[in-house]
Amino acid sequence: MGAPCVSWHDGAVTSVLNDSPFVRACRGQEVPHTPVWFMRQAGRSLPEYRKIREGVGMLESCRRPELVTEITLQPVRRHQVDAAILFSDIVVPIAAAGIDLDIVAGTGPVVAEPIRAESDLERLRPITADDVDFVAESVRLLVAELGSTPLIGFAGAPFTLASYLIEGGPSRTYLKTKAMMYAAPGLWDALLSRLADITLSFLRTQIDAGVSAVQLFDSWAGALSEADYREHVLPHSARVLRGLADAGVPRIHFGVGTAVLLDAMGEAGADVVGVDWRTPLDQATKVIGPDRSVQGNLDPALLFAGWDVVRREADRVLEQGRAAPGHVFNLGHGVMPETDPDILTRLVAHVHEASAR
């Protein structure tokens, strides 16, 4: 982790962060080594995380800046990753927008009254920076602590947020979501338009507070065909990502099971396209094109197969990532709770050593 930067001049801080391996890789620039961070790196795989979260609900945890700061810093201290990601949840902004929901352990976000009709939209109001001031405060505290290590902000994409609001919680089939998309396109567009505005405000708040990059998670977009994605989802994600074009920070776009959507997800306005473990990075690069970096994509399950397998597969990912103008090493999805933290620490060191230019 870099030295604390609280006494630095803002311009000097920005310059150092922009020259970090993570930000340079996102921009397709030369790097001293391939940078690495992990989705869900601050979480249940760390015993120190489980200890500090005892008796504190997930939403409440996200609203306590000092707690958010400590949780976000834990994997940076332990693993020496090249970037921190803000500890939060994709439903934080829609809770701030007036939706009654809870994050239930073992289940995920559960919405008390799902959105199914035009009249339900009134419960989803725009948000301002004041509605999520605890997020801005968390970012400011973290930037002061992280020094030369970049902080990634994030939000859920309109489609993924809509799926929770319509289904009432996690779903494997997205029946109600797709039914609205097909049968009530006016309501669908109105809902996703509101969610795009909320997401854009949420990300702007994080950028204004000092994050060095943002990631838009469209976790469940893989449930869609390319035609449906382009018609019903792409315009709303593009409104978010292109709405940040003047913000001066790299924009990462990630979804699961999105092999057929990679081209379209890049078109939405991403600088970096996150690729899950199903698609080799060199193949993904051919689809995404030569002007975008890639992020990924070791299968999280491989972390349970022993070090020899992890090292071999990490080397494969590094080799395939060289096809892109820039590569940020990551997993192809989030760290599983049962993962041995020591294997992640070892993996970071190996990626740094094996990719040293």
Side-chain angles (χ1 to χ4, degrees):
M1 188 170 67
C5 67
V6 287
S7 62
W8 297 5
H9 184 273
D10 284 351
V13 175
T14 301
S15 177
V16 169
L17 291 169
N18 283 339
D19 203 40
S20 65
F22 168 73
V23 173
R24 290 183 65 85
C26 287
R27 292 180 169 152
Q29 299 168 341
E30 287 189 13
V31 291
H33 61 261
T34 300
V36 52
W37 70 278
F38 305 115
M39 288 180 281
R40 284 207 300 260
Q41 64 187 18
R44 290 171 293 172
S45 65
L46 299 181
E48 56 266 42
Y49 168 83
R50 294 193 295 269
K51 182 176 181 180
I52 203 170
R53 274 283 320 278
E54 280 179 5
V56 186
M58 181 61 184
L59 268 179
E60 177 60 24
S61 298
C62 298
R63 292 169 175 151
R64 296 185 185 180
E66 290 80 9
L67 185 58
V68 168
T69 300
E70 172 57 26
I71 292 172
T72 303
L73 290 172
Q74 285 175 349
V76 183
R77 293 193 199 108
R78 182 187 270 261
H79 304 314
Q80 300 297 301
V81 285
D82 293 280
I85 185 164
L86 178 70
F87 176 75
S88 188
D89 192 274
I90 63 170
V91 298
V92 165
I94 55 176
I99 297 298
D100 183 6
L101 60 83
D102 192 17
I103 302 173
V104 179
T107 300
V110 175
V111 178
E113 297 178 71
I115 290 181
R116 306 275 170 79
E118 198 89 36
S119 58
D120 295 330
L121 289 178
E122 297 311 309
R123 289 188 277 113
L124 187 65
R125 60 174 177 79
I127 66 169
T128 67
D130 289 343
D131 292 315
V132 287
D133 57 351
F134 52 90
V135 173
E137 178 62 17
S138 298
V139 170
R140 286 190 290 267
L141 289 172
L142 278 160
V143 169
E145 288 286 338
L146 283 164
S148 58
T149 301
L151 176 64
I152 305 167
F154 76 92
F159 171 78
T160 292
L161 294 177
S163 73
Y164 284 115
L165 289 174
I166 298 165
E167 301 288 342
S171 173
R172 292 184 178 180
T173 58
Y174 306 97
L175 294 179
K176 295 180 178 68
T177 303
K178 290 185 176 183
M180 181 188 292
M181 186 176 75
Y182 290 125
L187 175 57
W188 174 263
D189 282 336
L191 172 58
L192 266 73
S193 181
R194 288 191 183 215
L195 289 170
D197 287 343
I198 289 167
T199 300
L200 188 52
S201 295
F202 190 55
L203 289 173
R204 275 281 180 191
T205 296
Q206 295 174 59
I207 291 168
D208 290 345
V211 299
S212 295
V214 292
Q215 176 156 313
L216 189 67
F217 283 88
D218 211 350
S219 307
W220 312 134
L224 301 170
S225 68
E226 183 181 6
D228 285 340
Y229 178 84
R230 286 186 176 277
E231 180 178 355
H232 300 290
V233 175
L234 176 56
H236 302 286
S237 293
R239 187 166 163 189
V240 176
L241 290 167
R242 291 175 186 164
L244 299 172
D246 64 345
V249 303
R251 298 154 295 173
I252 309 168
H253 201 185
F254 173 75
V256 182
T258 53
V260 300
L261 306 180
L262 290 174
D263 183 26
M265 290 181 75
E267 285 177 28
D271 303 295
V272 185
V273 177
V275 183
D276 77 8
W277 70 92
R278 298 169 177 85
T279 307
L281 291 180
D282 50 355
Q283 292 183 24
T285 297
K286 291 177 183 177
V287 175
I288 295 163
D291 56 343
R292 293 185 180 89
S293 296
V294 296
Q295 179 174 277
N297 71 341
L298 190 73
D299 186 342
L302 287 172
L303 299 175
F304 298 84
W307 175 245
D308 288 345
V309 173
V310 172
R311 181 180 56 199
R312 183 189 72 218
E313 293 302 303
D315 289 343
R316 176 185 59 79
V317 170
L318 286 169
E319 178 61 34
Q320 292 168 346
R322 292 193 180 100
H327 175 212
V328 176
F329 190 99
N330 207 312
L331 301 181
H333 199 190
V335 176
M336 296 181 187
E338 305 86 0
T339 305
D340 178 1
D342 290 342
I343 207 86
L344 292 173
T345 305
R346 198 172 178 185
L347 177 57
V348 173
H350 177 73
V351 170
H352 287 167
E353 182 182 353
S355 66
R357 308 289 194 263

